[in-house]
Amino acid sequence: MSRSRSESPQEQRPAGDETEAQAGAPSREGPAAAAGGRRLALDVHGRLRAMILSGELPPGSVLLQAEMARKLGVSRTPMREAFRLLQEEGLIDARPDQRARVRSVDPEDLDAVYGARIMLETLAVSMTAKSFTTEDIERMSDALKRMRGLAVDDQPEEWHAAHHEFHSIATQAVGPHLQRMIASLGEHSERYIRLAQLGAPASWSKAYAEHEALLEALRSSDPAEAARVVARHLARTALSVLADIAPEHEPAATRTALAIAGNGGH
């Protein structure tokens, strides 16, 4: 038998075919590669989400996968997954054979989100007020101090992180399931908070006064007052944005939730 016949197929394969052969063979790093691809898609999703929430990609903007992939320096595969996640969140409309667009602000969605936030967060702050500690007061005060020290126009991510921490401490007494619901609604409403800041910049002092009042109610272990303050605070944001983008829309969910929760439970 000649040497050429005794060689294995791998030994006979030209050097230039090595990569192609490896691509055709099952990869021992399949799970790791899949996990890496998932992490990349989540990273791309997070970057696009931040661009939408910040207004860098305003409502109605056309999103082309190939163009965004080039802009962010990634392939089309993680971009497709990122688009799917954004569509699930309701931040973009992406139908087959049509260009994806950043969704316009939906007044009905805003009203529903804030109606739900008012009901859940008044429950949460009422429970939290009964078990608030000195350490909690210090953490919440520190978050509020950071909010005051940050310029939201120049440092929006840092400001929103501090704002999120402030509200998370105020609602911490509920169980993990309710915490996840509250966090999800809070993230969903972030674009509305940003719109309120753009539409009514003069309302900053009022917003900070409401945050101070919520902290004081928790410090005083006053569940009814904490519920009243947070209900009015959330409702004011929702009504401010609606007055700017859709003054003709009747915010039934927000007003009903405020009527139920905003009177301190009486």
Side-chain angles (χ1 to χ4, degrees), residues 89-167:
E89 288 183 301
L91 291 176
I92 68 171
D93 287 319
R95 297 182 179 84
D97 302 323
Q98 292 186 7
R99 292 180 174 181
R101 291 180 181 273
V102 177
R103 285 189 64 180
S104 298
V105 176
D106 182 350
E108 290 188 5
D109 176 70
L110 185 156
D111 184 33
V113 166
Y114 271 89
R117 281 196 71 184
I118 289 169
M119 297 306 297
L120 291 180
E121 291 197 32
T122 52
L123 167 64
V125 298
S126 296
M127 294 175 64
T128 301
K130 299 174 183 177
S131 58
F132 217 55
T133 67
T134 301
E135 181 182 352
D136 294 330
I137 294 170
E138 292 175 355
R139 290 167 55 221
M140 204 165 164
S141 297
D142 179 66
L144 184 57
K145 186 182 299 182
R146 280 186 282 124
M147 288 166 59
R148 285 187 176 277
L150 291 166
V152 71
D153 292 336
D154 299 329
Q155 300 165 287
E157 301 312 318
E158 292 85 351
W159 188 93
H160 282 278
H163 183 255
H164 173 74
E165 182 180 349
F166 180 91
H167 280 274

Side-chain angles (χ1 to χ4, degrees), residues 4 15 21 28 54 103 116 144 166 171 180 193 198 243 259:
S4 63
R28 295 179 181 178
S54 69
R103 285 189 64 180
L144 184 57
F166 180 91
T171 58
R180 287 193 296 270
I193 295 172
L198 291 173

Side-chain angles (χ1 to χ4, degrees), residues 194-237:
R194 293 178 188 258
L195 285 172
Q197 292 165 346
L198 291 173
S203 65
W204 279 110
S205 59
K206 179 66 174 176
Y208 282 123
E210 290 168 349
H211 285 102
E212 289 279 10
L214 177 57
L215 176 57
E216 182 57 36
L218 292 170
R219 181 187 284 116
S220 303
S221 301
D222 189 339
E225 179 63 8
R228 188 189 72 82
V229 171
V230 81
R232 291 173 63 84
H233 173 62
L234 294 172
R236 190 176 63 79
T237 300

